[in-house]
Amino acid sequence: MPSPPGPTTERIRSSRAVFVVLVALALLAVAGHTALTSTSAALETLERAGESSGTEAAQPLLSLKVARGEDLFGDWSRYPHDFALYGPLTYVLPGLIGRAMGWDGPRIWLAGRFLSLLAGGLVLFLAAVVVRRQGARVWLVVLGVLLLVPVLRIWNIAVTFRPDMPAIALSLLGLVLARGGSRTALWRSLPFFLAALAFKQTALAAPTAVGAALYLDGRRREALLFCVAGGLMALGAVAALAAATHGFFLTHTFGILAASPCSSEWILNNWHTFLRVAPPAVLPGFAFGAQALRGRSEARPLALASGFSLLIATLTSVRVGSDVNYFVEAIVYLVVLAILGTDDWLRRAASGARLGPRLIATGLALTACLISADRSGPSRFPAPPSSSFSTAVPYFRQLTADLGTQQIFPGDVSLAVLADLPHPYSDGFAADYLTKAGRLRSAELVGHVREAKYGYVLLPEMPIRYRGIAFLPDALSRDLLLRFDLDHAEVLEPPGGRARFLLLRPRGGTPPVPIRADGRRP
């Protein structure tokens, strides 16, 4: 019969308990401060009426087509050139909401951002569910959520109108529903995995991880059935969309991206950015993920998902124009694994095991994570330097009214949405590489713009500092700068913002008319 614990043992246990409590309070305090800072910056980005990722405005522009009942997947080689690069739900869901509510482009833009924000909230909730289901301590559940808040600020992913955040949320939801691997659970998770693919066509990591986990558990028949059923459903949906759009769905979501230039340097650049902005908590996440893979652990699908997500992000980063947002899904999984690993190692220490080097490394990594988490906060991904929607939209709409019937060329796609201007293309970056690849003819694009007889060119001040005009095809940029006077451009400053815009007139045209302090012309 074991002897009761002596005073020395009790003191050791009490000291451990006090130590854990103090560490928990310190970590939660620092993580809470970082989370609040990141949340404040995210809300500032949410209301700013401007680009925060370079090509965000393409999404509200195409969703507006859905709201108006126009074809989303039409012939993109025809003028104006609209490129639907992502899955259909990215545009259809906000577009249908906009049609039901009678919204214009700026309101649909805001709706798309709020959908990303809601998806980010769902990711935080599901992460808490995953950690709590494993029996983790409550304070570790809270810590995991707080650690994920600045992660969702990477590349402003949770507050921009893009498919990334909804795809991550639906993938994580599928992983949660597939827990246990029963036939019912697997069938219940499939619709959400397919919905994630309908937002972003590269959202394959989570369903692949579920199938791989079944295989590693020795359930090869279930793994094969799950993969075949999911694959047939996805291929069936793609075939139906391709048939309904006369094949244009495939040319939009796969053909345009296939035409983009590739470079191994972009893989290195994105990995470098990933290592700079990812919290150090990914290190214990890797460690516990490797531990979960060695045994029949409920964390095994999550560990596999992080690995497959990193692999997919690396392979797709070969595209010129890719960025660190490709890695956010893997970072989410790794942070959750880090929290699960911390709880596992703490339990071993509390049960009398020696406080091994893994626990010490985990504590150091989490502390470093909290200290450096702000790298993925406001300083790394600032809010766009523009006015809020409530002030920018009336300003630009009034500007177009004051300039009369002369058409204004939007030098940035966001201006086409804000000022309700006709647009030559929905994505300047895609138009640029398609012209360089010979898929669009530069001469035809320039000719169409000339036929429109634009009287003015309106563009943000910042892009002019780069070669030509940023996010414009080279040939079009050169033609516009030849025909419009950049040296005597009128500087516009919408109220309540930090952005400045340039209004270019034809060379040899009338001198600029000054603008009053309230943004109106005299």
Side-chain angles (χ1 to χ4, degrees):
M1 184 174 181
S3 59
T8 303
T9 304
E10 289 294 340
R11 282 197 300 271
I12 293 174
R13 289 181 178 178
S14 299
S15 299
R16 284 180 175 178
V18 172
F19 173 75
V20 170
V21 169
L22 292 177
V23 170
L25 290 175
L27 293 177
L28 289 173
V30 180
H33 177 267
T34 304
L36 286 175
T37 304
S38 296
T39 302
S40 175
L43 294 178
E44 182 184 0
T45 302
L46 190 69
E47 68 171 358
R48 290 291 175 179
E51 287 282 3
S52 47
S53 64
T55 57
E56 182 193 1
Q59 280 69 256
L61 200 62
L62 295 175
S63 297
L64 187 59
K65 292 184 67 174
V66 175
R68 292 171 175 170
E70 302 174 10
D71 289 336
L72 175 62
F73 297 106
D75 186 354
W76 55 263
S77 63
R78 294 182 179 178
Y79 188 88
H81 309 288
D82 289 329
F83 313 114
L85 303 180
Y86 303 114
L89 281 184
T90 302
Y91 316 102
V92 172
L93 185 57
L96 292 179
I97 295 174
R99 180 190 298 183
M101 302 298 294
W103 287 344
D104 58 2
R107 288 188 176 88
I108 291 177
W109 194 344
L110 271 173
R113 286 185 173 182
F114 273 107
L115 285 175
S116 291
L117 186 64
L118 290 174
L122 180 59
V123 167
L124 298 180
F125 172 75
L126 292 172
V129 169
V130 170
V131 176
R132 189 58 182 160
R133 272 185 174 180
Q134 300 290 329
R137 294 166 171 80
V138 174
W139 73 268
L140 279 173
V141 176
V142 177
L143 179 62
V145 171
L146 294 177
L147 282 174
L148 282 174
V149 171
V151 170
L152 303 186
R153 276 280 296 142
I154 294 177
W155 221 65
N156 293 318
I157 193 172
V159 287
T160 52
F161 189 170
R162 294 184 56 83
D164 306 75
M165 205 70 253
I168 294 173
L170 289 166
S171 296
L172 188 54
L173 180 56
L175 286 173
V176 170
L177 293 176
R179 182 192 182 217
S182 68
R183 183 169 296 182
T184 302
L186 295 175
W187 282 107
R188 190 171 51 200
S189 67
L190 266 179
F192 297 97
F193 289 139
L194 294 173
L197 283 169
F199 272 100
K200 194 170 184 179
Q201 56 270 46
T202 57
L204 292 166
T208 306
V210 171
L214 291 172
Y215 184 87
L216 292 176
D217 286 341
R219 302 170 57 187
R220 299 183 179 181
R221 182 177 179 182
E222 290 92 334
L224 180 62
L225 179 62
F226 176 80
C227 292
V228 169
L232 289 177
M233 289 181 182
L235 289 176
V238 169
L241 284 170
T245 59
H246 306 288
F248 288 123
F249 169 73
L250 295 176
T251 62
H252 277 268
T253 55
F254 299 101
I256 295 177
L257 293 175
S260 63
C262 297
S263 171
S264 59
E265 292 182 6
W266 280 85
I267 297 179
L268 299 177
N269 291 337
N270 286 334
W271 263 96
H272 179 255
T273 307
F274 163 69
L275 294 175
R276 284 196 299 116
V277 302
V282 300
L283 298 176
F286 278 119
F288 185 71
Q291 177 181 317
L293 288 176
R294 289 198 299 266
R296 294 174 63 89
S297 169
E298 290 194 9
R300 178 182 275 179
L302 197 64
L304 287 166
S306 66
F308 285 126
S309 183
L310 279 175
L311 176 62
I312 292 172
T314 301
L315 294 177
T316 53
S317 286
V318 73
R319 288 183 53 249
V320 173
S322 60
D323 214 312
V324 73
N325 60 304
Y326 290 21
F327 291 82
V328 173
E329 182 180 7
I331 296 175
V332 170
Y333 297 150
L334 288 169
V335 170
V336 174
L337 287 169
I339 297 299
L340 292 175
T342 303
D343 182 71
D344 178 67
W345 298 324
L346 277 174
R347 289 185 185 279
R348 294 186 184 187
S351 65
R354 296 180 61 186
L355 196 63
R358 287 179 301 180
L359 179 57
I360 297 174
T362 303
L364 291 175
L366 286 175
T367 303
C369 168
L370 297 173
I371 294 173
S372 60
D374 202 49
R375 292 184 305 170
S376 58
S379 60
R380 176 64 177 86
F381 301 97
S386 56
S387 306
S388 64
F389 279 93
S390 59
T391 56
V393 173
Y395 176 85
F396 285 116
R397 297 288 170 90
Q398 185 61 51
L399 175 66
T400 58
D402 290 342
L403 293 179
T405 57
Q406 291 277 13
Q407 287 198 70
I408 303 174
F409 178 87
D412 185 273
V413 176
S414 64
L415 296 171
V417 181
L418 299 175
D420 194 22
L421 299 174
H423 60 283
Y425 43 72
S426 63
D427 187 327
F429 185 76
D432 185 25
Y433 69 67
L434 285 171
T435 54
K436 290 176 179 176
R439 303 289 296 275
L440 284 179
R441 296 183 60 184
S442 299
E444 289 184 3
L445 177 60
V446 172
H448 283 302
V449 173
R450 286 197 171 200
E451 288 175 8
K453 293 183 172 56
Y454 288 103
Y456 304 90
V457 173
L458 180 64
L459 67 156
E461 185 183 35
M462 283 292 289
I464 210 67
R465 298 178 184 176
Y466 302 108
R467 172 186 50 81
I469 304 176
F471 299 115
L472 261 71
D474 288 346
L476 183 57
S477 174
R478 289 194 298 269
D479 182 73
L480 290 174
L481 293 178
L482 281 174
R483 295 190 296 117
F484 290 86
D485 191 357
L486 174 63
D487 296 330
H488 299 91
E490 183 176 356
V491 179
L492 309 180
E493 298 186 38
R498 303 182 302 276
R500 287 152 55 99
F501 296 84
L502 301 178
L503 185 65
L504 279 61
R505 300 169 182 275
R507 293 187 179 275
T510 57
V513 179
I515 293 182
R516 299 193 319 222
D518 60 0
R520 298 290 302 277
R521 293 171 178 274

